[in-house]
Amino acid sequence: MEHLIQLTNICKSFDDNQVLKDINLYIDKNEFVTLLGPSGCGKSTILRIIAGFEFPDSGDVLFEGRSMLAIPPYERTVNTVFQKYALFPHLNVEDNIAFGLKLKKMSSGEISKRVSKMLELVNLKGFEKRSINALSGGQQQRVAIARALVNEPSVLLLDEPLAALDLKLRQSMQLELKNMQKELGITFIYVTHDQEEALTMSDTVVVMKDGTIQQIGKPTDIYNEPKNAYVADFIGKSNIVSGIMKQDCLVNIEGVDFECVDKGFAPDENVDVVVRPEDIYLVEPDKGKITGTVESAIFKGVHYEMCVVAADGQKWLVHDTTLFDTGSRVGILVKPFDIHVMKKSV
Ligand code: ADP
Ligand code: MG
C-alpha cells in the first residue's frame, strides 16, 4: 500500500549544527503519529519540513508517492497547530476560524456552515462573537484547532499544542483531540516531549534523540520492548541495569543467571536489561534471586514505590501493592517474560 506521507533520508543542518540525521519515516492515512523526544531533538524541524516551511538539505518528502519539495506550503494538504496559538486578537472567535476560508473566497453560506460545524466539534457553540482575549488558554487552543480543521486538511500537524495548558485541561484536551481525530478520519502528526501524552494518544510513537530516530512502534511495543536504554529511560521509570548475555534466553545480572526470552546476542555480549518496576516481585530474602534492603517506600495512591538496594549497590525500583518496610531485607524475583534485554545504546 502506498503511504500517505513518506520522509526518505532527510538531513538538515543549521550552520554547522546537523539537527536531522538521515530521517526515514512513513505515515499512513488516518494514523495518529507522535514524534516524541526531548527539547532540541529536531521534532519541530520535521513538522516544518512536512509543512514546507523548511527545506531538507537532502532527502525527499513524498505525499502519496509524489515529491512535495517543489510545492509551496499553501498548496500542501496539511495544516499546522502551534503551541503558541497565533490567533488574531482583533478578530472574534468566528472570524478567526473563518479567516482561511475567506482568503479562499468561499461563499459566505458555506463559510458559516463550516464554522458552525467546527464550533460544535471543539465545544465552543455560543462563543461565536467572543473576543479572543476573553477566552481561557484552553478555549483559545480549541479555536486554533478549529481554525486548522475548518480547511479540511488531510493531515494536521500539531506542535506541542497542549504544552501551555495545566495538567487537568491537558488531559481532557488529549481525549478530545483523540476523539476528533477518529471522528474526522484525519491523519495527525503530533509533537510532544511528554511521554505519557505520546503513549496515551498515538497509534504510532516515533522516539527521537539528537536528530535521529531511536524507535518507531505502537505505544505498547515502545513501552514493553524498548530498543535501547535511551528509549526505555525516556518512556518511563524503569530499571535499566547492565548484564551479560550468557547464551540465548539466559542473561547474567549482578552475577546471577536469569532466564529470559531474548535471543540473538553474541556470547557474553554486554547488554542493558530493562525491568519495569511493576514487574518485580518482592519475596522473603531466601526465596529471591537477588537480595537487598528496602531503602525507601512511598505510597503512590494505588501501589507503594520502593527502592531496594542490592548487595553490589545496584538500586531497584519496585511497585507493589504490599508495603515492605524501610530497612527490611527482601528477595527480588522477575519472570523471564518481564526481562527485556537490549543492545547497549550508542
Ligand atoms: P524540538 O522541536 O525537538 O525541540 P527543533 O526541531 O525545534 O527541536 O530544533 C532542533 C535543533 O535545531 C535545535 O538545536 C535548534 O536550536 C535548531 N534550530 C531549529 N530551527 C533553527 C533555525 N531556524 N536556525 C538555527 N537553528 C535552528
Ligand atoms: Mg519544538
Side-chain angles (χ1 to χ4, degrees):
M1 194 191 70
E2 192 164 69
H3 302 299
L4 180 63
I5 295 179
Q6 212 170 346
L7 304 182
T8 57
N9 308 106
I10 298 279
C11 294
K12 176 72 183 172
S13 296
F14 293 107
D15 303 320
D16 293 340
N17 182 15
Q18 192 179 3
V19 302
L20 295 178
K21 301 164 187 164
D22 197 28
I23 295 293
N24 287 284
L25 176 66
Y26 63 79
I27 292 150
D28 285 325
K29 209 165 178 305
N30 300 346
E31 201 177 0
F32 194 129
V33 177
T34 297
L35 307 177
L36 172 68
S39 176
C41 72
K43 306 181 296 295
S44 295
T45 304
I46 290 185
L47 279 200
R48 295 174 60 77
I49 285 174
I50 294 173
F53 301 130
E54 207 72 77
F55 287 89
D57 300 332
S58 58
D60 208 344
V61 180
L62 309 175
F63 279 28
E64 293 173 330
R66 275 170 311 164
S67 176
M68 281 295 120
L69 292 183
I71 308 292
Y74 58 88
E75 284 179 16
R76 302 189 186 190
T77 55
V78 302
N79 257 275
T80 312
V81 179
F82 297 102
Q83 177 184 344
K84 299 213 173 51
Y85 324 125
L87 297 170
F88 304 114
H90 58 287
L91 298 181
N92 65 23
V93 168
E94 187 176 56
D95 292 338
N96 261 281
I97 299 174
F99 190 80
L101 303 181
K102 284 181 181 165
L103 279 186
K104 285 185 190 161
K105 306 257 190 287
M106 196 174 275
S107 76
S108 60
E110 177 67 18
I111 290 180
S112 67
K113 210 172 81 192
R114 285 214 200 175
V115 168
S116 139
K117 189 177 136 205
M118 279 304 131
L119 283 168
E120 204 161 310
L121 185 78
V122 299
N123 249 321
L124 282 178
K125 267 233 134 4
F127 285 74
E128 287 80 357
K129 306 292 176 200
R130 280 285 180 95
S131 139
I132 289 300
N133 296 318
L135 299 179
S136 72
Q139 290 165 338
Q140 288 188 21
Q141 188 56 291
R142 282 163 215 252
V143 175
I145 289 163
R147 190 177 61 172
L149 287 175
V150 79
N151 298 305
E152 301 184 348
S154 60
V155 181
L156 191 63
L157 308 177
L158 301 109
D159 196 348
E160 313 231 13
L162 309 181
L165 307 180
D166 67 47
L167 180 66
K168 236 178 133 188
L169 187 55
R170 201 158 71 225
Q171 285 170 340
S172 75
M173 283 294 288
Q174 286 170 5
L175 285 177
E176 283 182 35
L177 273 178
K178 180 77 202 155
N179 290 338
M180 274 184 224
Q181 188 258 343
K182 273 201 216 135
E183 204 170 307
L184 297 168
I186 294 179
T187 304
F188 273 32
I189 308 178
Y190 195 94
V191 159
T192 183
H193 62 271
D194 179 333
Q195 40 92 7
E196 233 171 80
E197 188 162 290
L199 292 178
T200 44
M201 295 180 84
S202 325
D203 300 315
T204 304
V205 178
V206 179
V207 184
M208 292 187 59
K209 173 197 181 191
D210 299 336
T212 64
I213 291 176
Q214 296 287 308
Q215 187 167 2
I216 302 176
K218 286 186 288 197
T220 47
D221 293 344
I222 300 260
Y223 186 87
N224 291 323
E225 301 287 340
K227 247 184 167 161
N228 56 41
Y230 173 82
V231 174
D233 199 32
F234 196 78
I235 281 298
K237 270 191 186 173
S238 249
N239 294 290
I240 304 172
V241 300
S242 290
I244 299 163
M245 204 67 188
K246 289 288 201 58
Q247 58 187 61
D248 278 356
C249 301
L250 195 69
V251 63
N252 187 281
I253 305 167
E254 297 184 24
V256 181
D257 285 343
F258 282 79
E259 280 176 48
C260 60
V261 294
D262 300 272
K263 297 176 188 174
F265 292 87
D268 292 328
E269 181 171 342
N270 287 313
V271 291
D272 283 319
V273 180
V274 178
V275 185
R276 302 275 165 207
E278 61 271 30
D279 292 335
I280 295 179
Y281 298 88
L282 295 185
V283 294
E284 300 283 302
D286 57 335
K287 297 214 168 75
K289 283 214 149 199
I290 293 173
T291 55
T293 306
V294 179
E295 186 188 60
S296 64
I298 315 163
F299 185 55
K300 288 284 194 177
V302 178
H303 58 259
Y304 294 91
E305 181 173 288
M306 290 163 282
C307 178
V308 175
V309 187
D312 65 348
Q314 176 70 51
K315 291 186 178 186
W316 293 88
L317 192 70
V318 182
H319 289 172
D320 203 317
T321 48
T322 309
L323 173 65
F324 292 79
D325 284 321
T326 304
S328 58
R329 299 278 303 157
V330 292
I332 285 177
L333 283 182
V334 189
K335 292 180 184 165
F337 256 100
D338 293 329
I339 291 175
H340 305 293
V341 180
M342 307 178 298
K343 291 219 166 268
K344 283 269 179 199
S345 58
V346 279

